[in-house]
Amino acid sequence: MQRLEHMQHLDKHLVDELAQVARESVRAELREQTRGQRRKAALYAGSGAAALYAGAAVALAVGLALDLVLPGWAAALVTAVILAAAAVALRAAARPTPSAPVPATGSAPVPPLPSAPPTVGTDRAPGDG
């Protein structure tokens, strides 16, 4: 009986060691994946900041170019309107387009509406009394 208990102890010890090795390998793999994702996120943040500064430089250039032919306040106003229009266009492009509603399965189809309203008294045939 003692040998059986010893084997159970060894089995339990082996299972614990295997579980520990599996946990460590999963942790190492997750660390490696998150390290790559952190680097990618930092690169995206840097590119976003650079794009923001590039956009500001373009807006400044547009304002200065308009300042050659318009007063300063008008050039700034035109530049602001151009930027606002671009923002609205980008916002509209980012929204999903509404799709046509799909009738639920099992429901009765809705009959089409008539193009003209019915008139009173015209549904009788001549000679009906």
Side-chain angles (χ1 to χ4, degrees), residues 64-128:
L64 290 174
L66 288 173
D67 190 40
L68 296 174
V69 294
L70 296 173
W73 64 269
L77 186 62
V78 169
T79 303
V81 169
I82 291 171
L83 289 173
V88 168
L90 289 172
R91 181 178 174 203
R95 287 190 175 173
T97 57
S99 60
V102 177
T105 57
S107 65
V110 178
L113 292 175
S115 59
T119 55
V120 178
T122 60
D123 57 340
R124 288 194 233 169
D128 286 344

Side-chain angles (χ1 to χ4, degrees), residues 1-117:
M1 196 68 173
Q2 187 176 4
R3 180 180 167 101
L4 183 62
E5 289 175 4
H6 182 66
M7 292 297 287
Q8 286 177 344
H9 176 69
L10 285 177
D11 286 345
K12 189 174 183 180
H13 183 67
L14 181 62
V15 168
D16 290 342
E17 282 187 36
L18 286 174
Q20 180 69 22
V21 168
R23 278 192 295 268
E24 288 175 5
S25 65
V26 168
R27 282 185 190 139
E29 182 68 28
L30 287 175
R31 273 192 211 110
E32 185 66 31
Q33 288 178 358
T34 56
R35 185 177 304 130
Q37 289 173 351
R38 279 192 306 241
R39 183 175 184 271
K40 189 183 292 187
L43 290 173
Y44 273 121
S47 71
L52 179 67
Y53 283 113
V58 167
L60 179 64
V62 168
L64 290 174
L66 288 173
D67 190 40
L68 296 174
V69 294
L70 296 173
W73 64 269
L77 186 62
V78 169
T79 303
V81 169
I82 291 171
L83 289 173
V88 168
L90 289 172
R91 181 178 174 203
R95 287 190 175 173
T97 57
S99 60
V102 177
T105 57
S107 65
V110 178
L113 292 175
S115 59

